[in-house]
Amino acid sequence: METFRLLFFTTLWTAIWAAPLPKLSPLSFQWVLDVTVAIGIVWFASIANISCHWRLATL
């Protein structure tokens, strides 16, 4: 199950970054970048078994 999740997320992440995005204003692009990074951080915390307490402490 973990292998499947890792492969699925890696494929999805690669597809998102490789897909051509429409022209965005600098503010919109920053928003897309911030959301993508936040998703990656949450995913990493979940697979690394970082407790919710520590996630909130570092927020």
Side-chain angles (χ1 to χ4, degrees):
M1 183 63 172
E2 287 298 317
T3 303
F4 173 76
R5 287 177 56 194
L6 179 62
L7 289 174
F8 175 74
F9 181 79
T10 303
T11 303
L12 183 63
W13 188 270
T14 303
I16 289 170
W17 280 108
L21 291 174
K23 288 285 187 183
L24 299 172
S25 66
L27 183 49
S28 296
F29 180 76
Q30 187 64 47
W31 185 85
V32 170
L33 184 62
D34 290 344
V35 168
T36 305
V37 170
I39 291 169
I41 290 171
V42 168
W43 175 79
F44 177 75
S46 70
I47 66 162
N49 292 324
I50 299 173
S51 70
C52 186
H53 171 74
W54 287 109
R55 288 186 218 175
L56 292 174
T58 58
L59 181 65

